[in-house]
Amino acid sequence: MRSWKISLVLINENDGSEMPATIFEKATYKLHPTFGDRETQVIKKPPFKISEEGWGEFDMRIIVSALDKGGDHELSHDLNFQQERYEAEHKVTFKNPKPNLLEKLKESGPVGGGGEENGVKSKRGDESAKKRKRSEKGVDMEKLAESLQRLGEEDLLQVVEMVHNNKTADTYTKNDVEQGEFHVDLYTLPDSLVRMLWDFCVEKLGS
């Protein structure tokens, strides 16, 4: 029987030092099914340490949940006993983190670039201009948002597929598997996709 433990830390990009992983609010460890009632363990405080014992090696899933609804990020960790102590480095990417999470991220190194605060490219400043532009094309963004919420489950699945197939690098989406929710910022969609969604809603719900 072997005893082992795992903890999570951040690496400071400036000097390579270890930092508390305060950007996460919890870590969910998914162990081998042979652990029975201990197969799933949720730790809610840094360094998110888990201590266990067992005989075998296995691939472990670690789901880290970011602050401010920054999403769940899955890490795959190879638990083995080839060395007494070893480290595994994982990269987690955040798109459009909220202010509190953004400040925490800045503590471990540079965030974004080109003066684009929060990686949003000053999106909020020109939302009204985008809205006017799309209204002129016959797309009322507020009405589109309301229409999407009125669609049935099967129609919503088609909407999700359309977004995935036609989104661009600037499109912001978030798939919250735990809550069974899919979020998308309509103002980050390309014009062609907005038009496609509008026509789809008109077809399903009427004008």
Side-chain angles (χ1 to χ4, degrees):
M1 186 77 71
R2 291 178 177 268
S3 297
W4 53 265
K5 60 184 178 180
I6 294 176
S7 58
L8 306 178
V9 297
L10 300 182
I11 301 298
N12 190 315
E13 291 187 2
N14 296 318
D15 58 17
S17 62
E18 293 185 355
M19 300 176 55
T22 54
I23 63 172
F24 303 119
E25 60 183 15
K26 69 177 180 179
T28 304
Y29 290 87
K30 299 288 189 177
L31 309 183
H32 194 273
T34 54
F35 280 85
D37 293 341
R38 305 194 311 282
E39 178 183 354
T40 299
Q41 299 186 33
V42 180
I43 312 297
K44 296 185 177 181
K45 184 178 180 181
F48 305 106
K49 181 186 289 186
I50 179 176
S51 299
E52 275 293 348
E53 58 181 21
W55 293 107
E57 303 176 347
F58 61 93
D59 291 328
M60 177 191 307
R61 293 167 55 218
I62 307 172
I63 302 168
V64 288
S65 303
L67 296 173
D68 283 348
K69 298 182 179 180
D72 292 338
H73 306 266
E74 184 170 321
L75 314 176
S76 179
H77 178 69
D78 173 24
L79 178 70
N80 65 73
F81 305 118
Q82 297 176 18
Q83 302 178 57
E84 186 71 20
R85 174 187 173 90
Y86 66 100
E87 298 177 351
E89 189 170 314
H90 301 272
K91 183 176 181 180
V92 178
T93 302
F94 298 93
K95 185 164 185 178
N96 300 338
K98 293 183 179 179
N100 187 30
L101 175 56
L102 182 65
E103 289 304 311
K104 291 289 185 181
L105 289 170
K106 288 180 178 178
E107 295 176 5
S108 63
V111 177
E116 296 172 0
E117 183 69 14
N118 198 13
V120 184
K121 302 182 181 178
S122 301
K123 181 189 67 179
R124 295 191 181 278
D126 60 13
E127 275 187 358
S128 59
K130 286 185 177 180
K131 183 175 178 180
R132 286 195 301 273
K133 176 183 176 183
R134 292 194 175 148
S135 292
E136 292 172 359
K137 293 184 177 182
V139 177
D140 184 324
M141 298 300 283
E142 290 185 2
K143 187 173 181 180
L144 174 59
E146 293 173 359
S147 298
L148 289 171
Q149 294 179 34
R150 291 167 50 203
L151 291 173
E153 185 175 346
E154 291 187 5
D155 291 336
L156 285 174
L157 290 175
Q158 292 186 55
V159 167
V160 172
E161 185 176 357
M162 280 190 280
V163 171
H164 278 306
N165 292 341
N166 297 278
K167 66 183 181 180
T168 66
D170 292 326
T171 301
Y172 173 71
T173 61
K174 176 185 173 186
N175 193 8
D176 191 335
V177 178
E178 189 173 314
Q179 298 295 326
E181 296 178 349
F182 178 79
H183 305 269
V184 58
D185 185 340
L186 296 178
Y187 290 102
T188 64
L189 300 180
D191 289 344
S192 58
L193 179 53
V194 171
R195 185 78 239 183
M196 189 184 304
L197 293 177
W198 176 263
D199 292 341
F200 182 77
C201 288
V202 170
E203 176 187 346
K204 296 298 180 178
L205 303 172
S207 58

